[in-house]
Amino acid sequence: MAGTSLRIDKLLWHLRLSKSRSLAQALIGEGHVRLNGNRVEKPSVEVKVGDTITMPRGQGAVAIRLLSIPQRRGPAPEAQACYTEI
């Protein structure tokens, strides 16, 4: 299983789309995050390569397609290489 999927709260933190896992969990708990068009209800939902995630950013929203699963929360360029905005 290592490297093929990751919890969505941890993924948002690794990709630097959330400043912390607890903030990612709060966004998910409030119903603001969608995975492949469906509302995510639990932070423990697993995501995999090819999934589409939509979430609020600033005054709008951002939609990304996951290209690879990050192994750690590294520098921003490393995180940005794992997804593409759509």
Side-chain angles (χ1 to χ4, degrees), residues 27-47:
L27 269 177
I28 293 164
E30 294 167 2
H32 297 302
V33 179
R34 294 187 174 272
L35 177 64
N36 298 324
N38 300 313
R39 180 179 293 170
V40 177
E41 297 184 6
K42 296 181 184 177
S44 61
V45 170
E46 296 284 324
V47 292

Side-chain angles (χ1 to χ4, degrees), residues 2-6 10 14 68-74 78 82:
T4 61
S5 67
L6 189 64
K10 197 168 182 180
H14 279 214
S68 64
I69 301 291
Q71 298 301 310
R72 65 186 185 122
R73 186 174 201 257
E78 183 179 311
C82 294

Side-chain angles (χ1 to χ4, degrees), residues 6-63:
L6 189 64
R7 289 173 53 113
I8 193 163
D9 62 333
K10 197 168 182 180
L11 177 82
L12 295 177
W13 180 63
H14 279 214
L15 294 181
R16 297 183 167 271
L17 297 172
S18 177
K19 290 186 180 191
S20 69
R21 279 185 68 185
S22 59
L23 288 175
Q25 290 168 349
L27 269 177
I28 293 164
E30 294 167 2
H32 297 302
V33 179
R34 294 187 174 272
L35 177 64
N36 298 324
N38 300 313
R39 180 179 293 170
V40 177
E41 297 184 6
K42 296 181 184 177
S44 61
V45 170
E46 296 284 324
V47 292
K48 58 190 180 314
V49 173
D51 284 347
T52 301
I53 300 167
T54 307
M55 62 180 286
R57 183 192 294 171
Q59 297 294 335
V62 63

